[in-house]
Each structure stands twice: as C-alpha cells, then as structure tokens.
Amino acid sequence: MKDIKENATITLVNNQSGGGETDRIEFVSGGNFYRKDGAFFITYKEHSEMGMGNSRVLLKVEDRNITMRRMGEFQSVMKYELGKTTEFIYRMPYGEMNIKLKTEMIDNNLSQEGGRVDFSYILIMDSSEIHNDVRLDIRVEGN
C-alpha cells in the first residue's frame, strides 16, 4: 500500500470476550479515508503496543460487507459478510493459523464527511470462540 497523505483521524474500539475473559482495545491513529466505486476505504497503521507489530490496515466498507487487508509483520485478508462464515489464513512472524470468522452485524453510517461503522463477529479457532464488537469512528480533517 503506497503512502497517501493522511486526511483523517481513526478511532477504533474493540470489545472482545471469550473463554470467560473480556478485553477492550482502543486506539487513535492518523489515516486516510475516501470513497471510490461506491465503497468507503479506510487506511491506518497499527502500532507494536497493540501486539500486531507495525502493520498497515486497509478496510473496504460496503453496505453488507467489509474487507480488511492487514500488511506487514502480521498479514491477513478478512472478509466480514453479514450472516456468513468465512475463512482466512492469519500469517504471523512465527507461523500461520487458519481461522473462521462469523459476521453477526454490520452498521455502516459513513458518508463523504466520515462517520462511524460498527460491526460484530466471532473468531472461531479450533474449538474456541472469541466475540468481537468493533466501533470505528472516522473524523475527516476540516469537518
């Protein structure tokens, strides 16, 4: 992914639960936000403190699905399709994992000015399940 001038502030909140434990991940990052061919695109960098190395993320948000492409030390292409279970390979510096992903909800409230997208999904790895509720707030500079 080429470097594009940042034009937005991305705030991500992910509430995870599974195996009797809950966790909340929250971060703010500069990024880019634009619309192309009827879809919204969001790019940002993940930081090593999040446990994902220094990865870059590209999200393509449509009405009923989201595609997340993670590039860098950790690599994956995750497809969130409303009401469906998809599979992906998660590549890490120390190996690969096959993971299933079941999308439960996508609520897209994005416009040219930014906005918010909420989605929830279940990660299925072997016999364990991790529930995720994600909120992405996009604030475009100058709005």
Side-chain angles (χ1 to χ4, degrees):
M1 179 170 37
K2 55 187 168 184
D3 285 328
I4 299 172
K5 181 183 178 298
E6 293 180 353
N7 71 345
T9 301
I10 317 297
T11 303
L12 181 140
V13 178
N14 182 10
N15 292 301
Q16 292 182 334
S17 60
E21 296 185 21
T22 59
D23 191 23
R24 180 182 174 98
I25 298 167
E26 185 169 350
F27 79 93
V28 177
S29 179
N32 196 21
F33 176 75
Y34 58 97
R35 185 175 186 143
K36 181 179 175 184
D37 299 329
F40 291 99
F41 292 83
I42 304 162
T43 64
Y44 60 89
K45 290 181 183 177
E46 291 182 319
H47 305 287
S48 55
E49 307 87 62
M50 297 175 53
M52 297 299 204
N54 290 310
S55 300
R56 294 183 59 85
V57 173
L58 168 66
L59 285 160
K60 179 182 180 184
V61 180
E62 299 172 285
D63 286 336
R64 297 184 54 82
N65 59 65
I66 298 171
T67 303
M68 174 188 278
R69 182 178 304 271
R70 179 175 282 119
M71 297 151 282
E73 294 177 56
F74 292 78
Q75 299 175 10
S76 62
V77 177
M78 302 164 73
K79 295 185 186 262
Y80 305 87
E81 297 181 33
L82 190 58
K84 294 184 179 179
T85 300
T86 58
E87 294 185 44
F88 67 97
I89 297 172
Y90 194 58
R91 292 179 175 86
M92 302 160 282
Y94 40 84
E96 295 182 350
M97 287 176 45
N98 290 320
I99 302 174
K100 291 182 181 177
L101 180 144
K102 181 179 180 185
T103 305
E104 298 181 304
M105 181 269 294
I106 296 175
D107 186 15
N108 178 359
N109 292 296
L110 296 174
S111 70
Q112 287 290 122
E113 291 79 36
R116 179 172 164 171
V117 62
D118 296 275
F119 56 105
S120 62
Y121 63 95
I122 301 170
L123 285 177
I124 305 162
M125 298 170 285
D126 296 323
S127 61
S128 65
E129 294 186 355
I130 301 173
H131 296 259
N132 292 269
D133 293 309
V134 178
R135 182 183 77 223
L136 272 167
D137 287 305
I138 314 303
R139 192 179 76 229
V140 177
E141 291 177 16
N143 288 336

